[in-house]
Amino acid sequence: MSSTAERVLVGSIQKFSVEDGPGIRTTVFLKGCPLSCRWCHNPEMIEGQQQLIRSPNNCIGCGYCVDICPQAAVTIDPQDGIVIDRTRCDVCLKCAETCYAKALRAVAKPMTVDEIIGVVEQDKGFYDNTGGGMTVSGGEILMHADFVGRLIDEAGKRGISTCLDTSGCGDPDELMGLACKENVTYILYDMKSIDDEVHREYTGVSNRLILDNLRMLAADSRTRDKLIMRMPLVKGVNDSDDIIRRTGELYRQLGIRRVDLLPYHSLGISKKRNVGGVQEEFEAPSEERITEIEIYFKDEINLSVGILGRV
């Protein structure tokens, strides 16, 4: 979907988020991402187009979905519950519209700026009292840069600050334009791996644009202090001494002040299965290794370090 569209696909609007930037926040998840991280926690947000997702535990076996599907793409299996033939399904969503149990539903909802702000503004009192606000996440926000810019501006009119959550994989001018907006107070910037070969293997794209955009933001006085780095930690992928130390040295050179570590979890596996695919399983580093990385960033690089997302 074009970033100039009146509506974009919103996967969810999550209230009372406490790990998507400082304070109590409302996080808006936009669909579509240029990366395909093999461990993605929200794989249903990668595709830019609408998708049908199943929640088999919700199924009551009524069979309405089977009867109404014009493509005969839905069946009920006694053991597996709802089965969707993705080669036949054209995502018309007629089955989801008639599924009272919400066992079938659209991954995302097309929403306008005003519709999103209407939800976000409901909790303004919490933002004012905790230093929170709206966080715009994905997917990848730079796939909808024009829309996100209008969303930020509308939040600003209502006295709501914004935190951007980005992989940095997008147009540098659009990124800088969003980052420099006055009511953007924080930028959560993802660092999957500083090693380009590892990055290509596990995300499907090079990290060169991502690193160039990070250097751009860190070099500009308008955006430098807004940066909070985010690092997923996946055992055997991006937790080696070499990768961690190269990352630390980059952060030192750029004047980065904070990094949040996100140990791997496997919640994306069932989501991927329910939108029609298979996601491989990884492991988080040991608690001992996570502590070693935390101490390194604190003591040797002089960073403030958070550890988030533990389940």
Side-chain angles (χ1 to χ4, degrees):
M1 183 177 291
S2 170
S3 64
T4 59
E6 180 184 354
R7 289 178 170 83
V8 300
L9 289 172
V10 178
S12 66
I13 300 179
Q14 181 177 312
K15 293 189 172 189
F16 292 94
S17 297
V18 294
E19 292 192 343
D20 292 327
I24 293 175
R25 315 193 68 86
T26 296
T27 304
V28 181
F29 292 93
L30 306 181
K31 198 168 180 348
C33 184
L35 277 65
S36 296
C37 298
R38 286 161 56 178
W39 59 77
C40 183
H41 297 162
N42 294 304
E44 77 281 11
M45 300 301 290
I46 295 175
E47 292 292 331
Q49 303 301 313
Q50 182 66 279
Q51 291 172 284
L52 178 68
I53 189 169
R54 64 188 192 118
S55 298
N57 290 340
N58 288 357
C59 182
I60 59 175
C62 66
Y64 285 165
C65 55
V66 176
D67 295 337
I68 202 169
C69 178
Q71 304 300 327
V74 184
T75 55
I76 303 293
D77 183 272
Q79 290 186 329
D80 297 331
I82 304 168
V83 178
I84 303 167
D85 183 345
R86 302 283 175 175
T87 65
R88 300 176 68 94
C89 176
D90 62 0
V91 197
C92 70
L93 299 179
K94 290 182 179 179
C95 59
E97 292 165 2
T98 59
C99 183
Y100 306 107
K102 303 299 182 185
L104 291 171
R105 58 183 176 82
V107 165
K109 177 183 178 181
M111 297 185 73
T112 66
V113 166
D114 287 343
E115 288 170 339
I116 295 171
I117 290 296
V119 178
V120 172
E121 193 175 21
Q122 293 170 3
D123 291 337
K124 186 175 184 300
F126 293 108
Y127 316 147
D128 294 343
N129 290 327
T130 66
M134 175 178 70
T135 296
V136 189
S137 185
E140 172 50 55
I141 63 172
L142 295 176
M143 293 188 72
H144 311 282
D146 180 80
F147 185 93
V148 172
R150 288 182 275 131
L151 184 61
I152 294 168
D153 291 343
E154 200 60 38
K157 293 176 184 178
R158 290 160 167 76
I160 300 171
S161 66
T162 299
C163 174
L164 305 179
D165 185 359
T166 180
S167 70
C169 190
D171 183 89
D173 292 333
E174 292 181 335
L175 174 58
M176 183 58 78
L178 297 178
C180 285
K181 287 184 178 290
E182 186 176 351
N183 66 312
V184 170
T185 49
Y186 301 100
I187 304 166
L188 307 181
Y189 202 97
D190 295 344
M191 171 67 76
K192 315 294 187 184
S193 174
I194 196 170
D195 185 281
D196 189 52
E197 185 176 340
V198 171
H199 201 279
R200 287 175 182 271
E201 180 178 355
Y202 287 93
T203 74
V205 301
S206 170
N207 67 7
R208 292 178 185 175
L209 176 60
I210 293 167
L211 293 178
D212 286 346
N213 280 342
L214 175 60
R215 293 185 180 99
M216 174 187 69
L217 294 176
D220 196 305
S221 61
R222 297 170 297 174
T223 54
R224 181 187 308 118
D225 293 340
K226 298 179 181 182
L227 283 167
I228 300 174
M229 298 306 300
R230 290 200 145 190
M231 292 181 61
L233 292 178
V234 185
K235 182 178 179 180
V237 175
N238 60 1
D239 66 335
S240 68
D241 283 342
D242 175 64
I243 286 179
I244 296 301
R245 290 191 173 274
R246 285 163 60 191
T247 302
E249 287 304 315
L250 175 66
Y251 291 171
R252 191 204 307 272
Q253 293 168 12
L254 298 183
I256 300 297
R257 296 180 180 181
R258 179 177 176 89
V259 60
D260 288 337
L261 308 177
L262 292 85
Y264 168 81
H265 64 69
S266 60
L267 296 181
I269 291 177
S270 62
K271 293 181 182 181
K272 183 69 172 180
R273 181 171 60 248
N274 287 332
V275 291
V278 177
Q279 185 182 91
E280 62 193 293
E281 187 167 6
F282 294 89
E283 293 182 48
S286 67
E287 289 297 320
E288 179 182 11
R289 179 58 179 154
I290 293 170
T291 299
E292 289 174 353
I293 295 170
E294 177 186 15
I295 291 172
Y296 165 73
F297 282 130
K298 282 182 176 178
D299 293 353
E300 295 195 37
I301 308 300
N302 197 30
L303 296 177
S304 173
V305 181
I307 302 177
L308 308 178
R310 283 178 164 146
V311 295

